[in-house]
Amino acid sequence: MKKILFIVIDGLGDNPVKMFGGKTPLEAAKTPNLDLMAKNGFCGSLEPFMFESQDAPTSEDAHIALFGFDPKRYSLGRGIFEALGAGIPLKSKDVAIRINFATVDSNLTIKDRRAGRIENTQALINDLNRIKIKGVKIFVKKAWGYRAVLRLRSTKDISPEITSNDPREIFKQPLKIKAKNKSRSAIFTAQLLNEFVLKSHEVLKNHFINQERKKSGLPPANFLLLRGAGRFKKLPSFKKVWAMKACCVAGGNLYKGIAKFLGMEVVKVKGANGGINTNLKEKINTAKKCLKKNDFVFLHIKAADCLAEDGNCAGKKSFIEKIDRHLKPLLNLNNSDIIITCDHRTDCNKKMHAKGNVPFLIYENQSNGIESFSEKSCNKPVMPSRLFIKFIVDLQKK
Ligand SMILES: [Zn+2]
């Protein structure tokens, strides 16, 4: 069977944009390589997965579905994937939660939800790891920038069924963490996290790093906002389910975490950072090399989503053009199918993820007569994203 290079351009799909005369950023972008692949490949449209309670797909659920798994079973909470992506080992029943370092004033009113996008949090984290709370092992690890991940491990029953303390707005006070149900474990976990948040504020408020920040006119990282709690459990891996050895080339923590969770090897790439200046050349090179030892290589490119979330439609269009230029070395790969798709639309006018189908292409398989790669041109056949991997595998067998 042929090998598969599975490229996900996060948030690539979009809605019509006025400044592009009603075209989407992908339609407006000059993408000769994507168009050539579309012409010589099989194209169509995917319905990204979302839960009924959601207004738009999330990246994590959409990726789980793209890999052919049921998000109802496999989406364990963002905290779990972020923890794995940050390199925190997890055991069954561990609870993991995302942390933002934030700034509060003396009345505990939030002044900055990202503490001036602080980077050097390691000394703060070292002291947070000295906090003791009865019956629970607490471990904090730095993630990207102002973010960190918290792992709770306990012989007592702990639960991810707790609310966030992040009001998601400045000039408000952090919320109390509450149990989402009446179980003893959820009530206990909410109590212990409220205690941890208070103790951490005591550790952080006079910390030498924050004294220095205040002297330099920077907002101190003196409060923790917690969200995305999840509980770890081991589930059948990608290899077990699809009988393909898989690896992942990504810059963003979340995507590395999802890949690890599914049992894919995460390959390190110098300069891959999930940003606009990520090392695309090296990522594509690495992905090519990985095809030698793997049946399935997942290559994730993040920044189109971030640019759209910042409302930067022109930036998204030019980043798509940049990706396209870097795809050229893939045009004559032997014995491999290249898949290009995305996890969901990100609307650059509304600065948020949006509902709606997204295009896919499978190069180089039989062509179904499509001339370019875009939301409109690749509109048939339509399938739920969860069936996509099976569709690719079946297509290869033909
Ligand atoms: Zn996404």
Side-chain angles (χ1 to χ4, degrees), residues 102-328:
T103 306
V104 294
D105 65 12
S106 52
N107 300 317
L108 289 188
T109 300
I110 299 173
K111 293 292 180 187
D112 187 336
R113 289 179 56 250
R114 300 179 184 90
R117 294 188 177 268
I118 181 171
E119 295 270 344
N120 61 331
T121 55
Q122 194 54 56
L124 301 171
I125 287 171
N126 292 346
D127 288 337
L128 290 176
N129 276 321
R130 292 196 179 96
I131 295 176
K132 297 261 183 297
I133 292 180
K134 220 177 154 190
V136 198
K137 277 188 192 158
I138 289 176
F139 178 61
V140 182
K141 189 161 181 196
K142 182 176 168 58
W144 171 83
Y146 54 89
R147 291 182 179 158
V149 192
L150 167 67
R151 183 191 66 196
L152 300 177
R153 183 171 281 174
S154 176
T155 47
K156 291 184 193 174
D157 233 357
I158 47 174
S159 166
E161 295 298 319
I162 46 126
T163 60
S164 166
N165 67 341
D166 184 356
R168 298 211 159 223
E169 277 177 72
I170 52 168
F171 305 126
K172 287 197 170 170
Q173 293 205 322
L175 306 167
K176 269 263 163 318
I177 294 168
K178 290 183 186 152
K180 284 185 185 169
N181 58 42
K182 288 184 180 153
S183 71
R184 216 192 283 171
S185 57
I187 294 167
F188 170 69
T189 311
Q191 276 169 352
L192 87 87
L193 286 172
N194 283 319
E195 189 183 336
F196 173 71
V197 167
L198 283 181
K199 284 189 172 173
S200 65
H201 179 56
E202 290 305 310
V203 168
L204 297 172
K205 69 180 181 190
N206 297 318
H207 199 280
F208 75 91
I209 292 268
N210 283 327
Q211 306 284 10
E212 284 169 11
R213 284 180 71 80
K214 281 191 223 163
K215 268 186 223 154
S216 316
L218 294 167
N222 59 7
F223 205 86
L224 302 180
L225 296 174
L226 277 51
R227 64 201 161 108
R231 189 198 328 253
F232 183 69
K233 66 176 166 193
K234 234 177 145 41
L235 289 168
S237 68
F238 187 88
K239 190 175 177 192
K240 174 117 198 190
V241 171
W242 294 111
M244 289 189 276
K245 188 175 179 240
C247 80
C248 157
V249 176
N253 224 20
L254 172 63
Y255 311 94
K256 293 187 212 173
I258 293 171
K260 268 192 196 164
F261 172 61
L262 296 176
M264 298 181 191
E265 183 199 350
V266 176
V267 181
K268 272 195 183 157
V269 183
K270 210 178 164 196
N273 57 16
I276 330 172
N277 60 349
T278 191
N279 192 346
L280 275 179
K281 192 176 169 192
E282 198 46 41
K283 281 176 86 172
I284 286 177
N285 251 333
T286 306
K288 263 174 85 175
K289 279 185 209 153
C290 287
L291 283 167
K292 287 183 191 145
K293 286 190 187 160
N294 293 274
D295 308 305
F296 183 97
V297 177
F298 160 45
L299 169 60
H300 183 264
I301 302 172
K302 177 67 182 165
D305 175 59
C306 308
L307 289 159
E309 281 186 337
D310 288 344
N312 187 349
C313 300
K316 180 171 178 178
K317 172 178 166 278
S318 47
F319 189 71
I320 294 169
E321 290 173 344
K322 183 174 168 185
I323 296 171
D324 186 83
R325 289 194 294 276
H326 282 86
L327 293 175
K328 203 156 186 201

